[in-house]
Amino acid sequence: MGSAELKHQIEEEIKRTEALVTEYKEMSQPVSPDDAIGRISRMDAINNKSVTEAALRQAENKLASLKSVISNIDSPDFGICVSCKQPIPIGRILIRPESQRCVNCAR
């Protein structure tokens, strides 16, 4: 797989992650006390908001990593494990482009 195809794959993942971030931001809006919902429903909405906020933070971190990766794709160190200095398998790069370590070193 060439670097152009790999770059395209990473750009597609960036688009998907940006869409997730937008969706999570919309879902994590505060629950208005003026909404006429029951106490249990309000507690459930607050709990769901906490879960969504955690997912939002995770998606934002992944997005930052992906953008960092895309800016370094032409670097000679791209795809090289930062721990053992061996090439990271292409499958891992496609599954987790933000990974900077091979599977063995990531354990």
Side-chain angles (χ1 to χ4, degrees):
M1 173 175 288
S3 67
E5 190 175 337
L6 185 58
K7 186 174 185 175
H8 175 72
Q9 292 278 341
I10 294 170
E11 287 170 344
E12 289 299 314
E13 188 64 25
I14 287 174
K15 288 178 188 175
R16 284 190 292 272
T17 306
E18 285 174 336
L20 270 178
V21 166
T22 301
E23 182 180 336
Y24 289 147
K25 282 182 178 179
E26 290 172 6
M27 292 171 56
S28 66
Q29 296 298 317
V31 179
S32 173
D34 296 336
D35 286 347
I37 60 175
R39 187 181 64 163
I40 301 297
S41 295
R42 184 172 307 284
M43 290 170 49
D44 189 43
I46 290 169
N47 183 49
N48 288 342
K49 182 178 180 298
S50 297
V51 171
T52 302
E53 286 174 342
L56 173 61
R57 284 190 300 275
Q58 186 177 14
E60 287 174 334
N61 289 339
K62 181 178 181 180
L63 184 59
S65 295
L66 286 167
K67 286 182 177 182
S68 174
V69 164
I70 201 85
S71 68
N72 295 326
I73 199 164
D74 294 324
S75 167
D77 293 335
F78 181 78
I80 304 297
C81 176
V82 296
S83 297
C84 69
K85 306 299 182 208
Q86 297 297 315
I88 299 171
I90 199 74
R92 178 159 174 84
I93 292 174
L94 288 176
I95 292 169
R96 295 191 50 121
E98 70 274 13
S99 296
Q100 295 182 357
R101 291 181 172 75
C102 65
V103 174
N104 292 331
C105 294
R107 292 185 202 172

